[in-house]
Every structure is written in structure tokens, then in C-alpha cells.
């Protein structure tokens, strides 16, 4: 299987093992704490948060959706999308060391993503599925990274999401779409379910059968 290499890779492939476990402490609740059940919002570094979920949730999460930085290079948005935030730079310096000074934007992104995906893989249940939003900047790297961590056979789909139909998307083709990359923990446990996604009644009403095809609408 093809593998992906980048500056700093050897420093991060086992970094998830070095991330410390943190105790999650309830700070406050919205409404009745009992009514909140298992729902929680965790404030803090997401790498440490994922590691802290392992004792309770390892191998139990059936559906994960993440919307990681797309690495567009934009530093003027609501968050820095250039993998250049001071916290990330410090983390890269601590984990990758002097090599980090020569990292490209894509090297930094891969270093940041790898340990987080390793922990997400550990959280996923045997019949679990993960959905990842991404765009053209890193879809090619993410696909290979997911093959390495989740296994190529556990690739489910690369869903093309048309995010706009405005005039600029007709002039600039790439502005019209993003991707949702879908992988599972074990393809044998989800294959039948994923191949038989039921239609809602509203969706069924959109189909017709004017020629009385025996296969139905």
C-alpha cells in the first residue's frame, strides 16, 4: 500500500501514546444536569480531550463527525486556518523539535492531524463510521492518511457536497464544492447498512413511474 511521508512524521506517529490523560471535571450544566444525560461540551485542547475520553468511550463511539481545519492559508478567519496559531507552533516545537523549523504548511497540517486521527480510531466502535469534512487543499493527503490509520479496505465513500450555486461558483469551479470523507472501523460490520440507506417518505414522493416499470418508482 502506498504510504505518505512528510517532515516530522517519525515524531508524531506514536505521539498519541505520550499525550497525558486528563480528568474531565464538570464545570457547569445547562438546565437539569440529570436531563443532560451523556451529552457534554469539552473546553480545552482537542488532542488532550480525545485522550481523556478513551477510558470511558474507547471502542464505543458509533458515529464521529469532524470538521478539521482545511489548511487554506487564511489567517483572517474566525480561527487561523494556516496551521500557524501560536499554540500549534509551540506544540510543533515541543513534539517535532528543530525539524519543525523547516515544515511546510502541509507538513504542519499532517503532523497536527495524525495523532488526533489515531485517537479517533481508538474511540470508534466495531460498527462505527467517521465522517470528515475537507476541501481541495488537503483531500489528497487526508485520503492517504486515513488509509494508513483506518485501513484502505475500510474506506466507504468520498461524498461530494455542493456547498453553493452562486455565480462565483460557476466561474471558479472549486468554490462550488467540498468533500465528506467516510471511513469505518470494520467494513464487514457496516457494509449492508451503508448499502441500504432507507429513503424517507418525502424522498420517496419525489419518484414517479409513468411507464409502469415493474421495478417500481
Amino acid at each position: 500500500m502506498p504510504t505518505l511521508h512528510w517532515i516530522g512524521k517519525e515524531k508524531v506517529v506514536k505521539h498519541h501514546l505520550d499525550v497525558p490523560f486528563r480528568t474531565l471535571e464538570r464545570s457547569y450544566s445547562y438546565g437539569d444536569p440529570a436531563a443532560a444525560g451523556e451529552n457534554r461540551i469539552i473546553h480545552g485542547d482537542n488532542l488532550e480531550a480525545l485522550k481523556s475520553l478513551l477510558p470511558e468511550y474507547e471502542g464505543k463511539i458509533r458515529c464521529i463527525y469532524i470538521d478539521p481545519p482545511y489548511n487554506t492559508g487564511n489567517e483572517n478567519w474566525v480561527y487561523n486556518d494556516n496551521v500557524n496559531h501560536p499554540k500549534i507552533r509551540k506544540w510543533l516545537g515541543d513534539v517535532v523539535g528543530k525539524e519543525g523549523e523547516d515544515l511546510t504548511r502541509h507538513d504542519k497540517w499532517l503532523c497536527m492531524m495524525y495523532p488526533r486521527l489515531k485517537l479517533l480510531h481508538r474511540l470508534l466502535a466495531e460498527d462505527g463510521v467517521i465522517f470528515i469534512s475537507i476541501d481541495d487543499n488537503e483531500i489528497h493527503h487526508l485520503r492517504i492518511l486515513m488509509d494508513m490509520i483506518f485501513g484502505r479496505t475500510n474506506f466507504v465513500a468520498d461524498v461530494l457536497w455542493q456547498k453553493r450555486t452562486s455565480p462565483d461558483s460557476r466561474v471558479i469551479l472549486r468554490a462550488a464544492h467540498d468533500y465528506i470523507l467516510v471511513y469505518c472501523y470494520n467494513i464487514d460490520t457496516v457494509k449492508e447498512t451503508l448499502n441500504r440507506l432507507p429513503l424517507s417518505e418525502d424522498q420517496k414522493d419525489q419518484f414517479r413511474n409513468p411507464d409502469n416499470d415493474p421495478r417500481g418508482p
Side-chain angles (χ1 to χ4, degrees):
M1 181 184 76
T3 57
L4 184 63
H5 296 279
W6 65 91
I7 297 175
K9 176 183 177 181
E10 67 279 2
K11 301 291 180 63
V12 298
V13 290
K14 294 185 178 179
H15 178 65
H16 63 287
L17 300 174
D18 299 327
V19 177
F21 286 99
R22 304 287 188 190
T23 301
L24 298 177
E25 299 179 356
R26 182 186 292 274
S27 297
Y28 54 87
S29 299
Y30 295 103
D32 180 7
E38 294 296 312
N39 299 317
R40 61 188 65 179
I41 298 173
I42 302 173
H43 293 276
D45 179 85
N46 62 355
L47 189 60
E48 293 183 354
L50 290 172
K51 187 68 175 279
S52 299
L53 289 171
L54 282 181
E56 187 175 356
Y57 292 106
E58 183 167 11
K60 296 180 181 179
I61 308 298
R62 297 189 64 202
C63 182
I64 296 174
Y65 169 73
I66 62 171
D67 186 15
Y70 287 7
N71 200 14
T72 63
N74 185 0
E75 295 189 6
N76 300 315
W77 197 33
V78 65
Y79 69 86
N80 186 303
D81 202 15
N82 195 24
V83 203
N84 199 33
H85 190 279
K87 287 184 178 180
I88 266 292
R89 290 206 304 268
K90 181 181 185 304
W91 179 81
L92 288 167
D94 292 342
V95 175
V96 179
K98 194 161 182 64
E99 273 186 306
E101 298 175 6
D102 298 324
L103 295 182
T104 68
R105 202 175 87 217
H106 300 286
D107 291 321
K108 294 176 186 177
W109 190 86
L110 288 163
C111 285
M112 181 270 296
M113 288 296 293
Y114 192 94
R116 288 160 173 81
L117 291 171
K118 288 289 287 187
L119 291 175
L120 287 165
H121 183 250
R122 289 180 61 180
L123 286 167
L124 211 57
E126 183 75 12
D127 60 347
V129 182
I130 182 170
F131 301 82
I132 308 175
S133 287
I134 202 70
D135 75 356
D136 285 315
N137 286 284
E138 297 293 353
I139 180 64
H140 49 302
H141 289 145
L142 181 59
R143 177 73 187 269
I144 299 175
L145 207 59
M146 293 298 290
D147 282 350
M148 292 167 59
I149 296 172
F150 285 74
R152 192 174 183 182
T153 58
N154 292 317
F155 167 74
V156 176
D158 180 2
V159 180
L160 191 66
W161 174 53
Q162 183 177 353
K163 63 181 180 179
R164 65 179 71 171
T165 55
S166 56
D168 64 325
S169 69
R170 294 194 290 273
V171 176
I172 307 171
L173 184 60
R174 64 180 293 178
H177 66 276
D178 280 347
Y179 306 91
I180 301 176
L181 204 55
V182 187
Y183 276 76
C184 62
Y185 189 88
N186 183 347
I187 194 68
D188 292 329
T189 63
V190 299
K191 189 182 300 182
E192 185 173 347
T193 303
L194 291 171
N195 287 338
R196 298 177 181 273
L197 296 176
L199 295 176
S200 68
E201 292 304 316
D202 287 341
Q203 289 170 325
K204 290 178 182 178
D205 288 341
Q206 297 176 27
F207 292 89
R208 300 290 182 267
N209 190 6
D211 56 355
N212 294 317
D213 189 306
R215 292 173 296 181

XYZ file of all heavy atoms in Angstrom, residues 26-43:
139
model
N -16.731 18.437 35.678
C -17.934 19.201 35.339
C -17.836 20.609 35.932
O -17.705 20.777 37.133
C -19.182 18.498 35.877
C -20.488 19.223 35.510
C -21.686 18.572 36.183
N -21.948 17.251 35.645
C -22.683 17.005 34.565
N -23.219 18.009 33.898
N -22.882 15.776 34.152
N -17.895 21.602 35.041
C -17.821 22.989 35.490
C -19.200 23.594 35.663
O -19.439 24.351 36.590
C -17.011 23.829 34.492
O -15.682 23.369 34.420
N -20.086 23.285 34.745
C -21.439 23.826 34.828
C -22.333 23.000 33.922
O -21.874 22.227 33.096
C -21.485 25.303 34.412
C -20.890 25.580 33.066
C -21.645 25.472 31.905
C -19.556 25.972 32.946
C -21.092 25.714 30.659
C -18.996 26.213 31.706
C -19.762 26.100 30.561
O -19.214 26.347 29.338
N -23.645 23.173 34.106
C -24.628 22.446 33.302
C -25.686 23.416 32.815
O -25.926 24.463 33.422
C -25.304 21.346 34.122
O -24.362 20.408 34.576
N -26.281 23.069 31.687
C -27.409 23.829 31.171
C -28.684 23.137 31.616
O -28.947 21.995 31.224
C -27.367 23.917 29.644
C -26.183 24.685 29.118
C -25.085 24.021 28.577
C -26.152 26.077 29.165
C -23.992 24.726 28.090
C -25.069 26.793 28.682
C -23.991 26.108 28.150
O -22.915 26.810 27.672
N -29.466 23.791 32.442
C -30.702 23.178 32.909
C -30.435 22.087 33.912
O -29.470 22.123 34.689
N -31.268 21.067 33.881
C -31.187 19.955 34.821
C -30.029 19.042 34.437
O -30.035 18.454 33.348
C -32.517 19.174 34.784
C -32.497 17.998 35.760
O -31.527 17.878 36.527
O -33.450 17.206 35.722
N -29.003 18.872 35.294
C -27.869 18.007 34.957
C -28.291 16.585 34.620
O -27.709 15.944 33.754
C -27.003 18.048 36.224
C -27.394 19.306 36.903
C -28.852 19.507 36.606
N -29.330 16.085 35.296
C -29.781 14.717 35.042
C -30.362 14.581 33.636
O -30.225 13.555 32.980
C -30.814 14.303 36.082
N -31.019 15.650 33.171
C -31.641 15.609 31.851
C -30.601 15.641 30.735
O -30.871 15.249 29.602
C -32.623 16.771 31.693
N -29.400 16.148 31.047
C -28.357 16.244 30.026
C -27.826 14.881 29.625
O -27.286 14.717 28.529
C -27.219 17.123 30.547
N -27.976 13.896 30.500
C -27.524 12.544 30.179
C -26.042 12.493 29.864
O -25.214 13.011 30.597
N -25.702 11.872 28.721
C -24.308 11.708 28.334
C -23.774 12.880 27.523
O -22.620 12.876 27.101
C -24.158 10.413 27.518
C -24.436 9.144 28.301
C -23.421 8.942 29.418
O -22.213 9.057 29.161
O -23.845 8.697 30.561
N -24.615 13.871 27.248
C -24.171 14.995 26.424
C -23.179 15.859 27.188
O -23.351 16.121 28.371
C -25.376 15.854 26.005
C -26.360 15.050 25.183
O -25.966 14.290 24.315
N -27.641 15.224 25.471
N -22.133 16.301 26.479
C -21.148 17.155 27.129
C -20.424 18.020 26.106
O -20.262 17.629 24.957
C -20.139 16.330 27.933
C -19.337 15.350 27.108
C -18.499 14.440 27.996
N -19.332 13.581 28.837
C -18.850 12.689 29.694
N -17.550 12.541 29.820
N -19.650 11.935 30.418
N -20.021 19.192 26.548
C -19.169 20.081 25.764
C -17.854 20.178 26.517
O -17.836 20.508 27.704
C -19.793 21.479 25.611
C -21.125 21.399 24.865
C -18.833 22.406 24.861
C -21.883 22.713 24.834
N -16.760 19.879 25.837
C -15.453 19.883 26.487
C -14.663 21.090 26.005
O -14.464 21.280 24.803
C -14.671 18.587 26.173
C -15.471 17.365 26.638
C -13.301 18.619 26.836
C -14.868 16.044 26.220
N -14.214 21.912 26.942
C -13.380 23.065 26.635
C -11.923 22.682 26.898
O -11.590 22.209 27.981
C -13.769 24.268 27.499
C -15.129 24.808 27.207
N -15.370 25.701 26.194
C -16.334 24.567 27.773
C -16.659 26.004 26.155
N -17.271 25.320 27.112
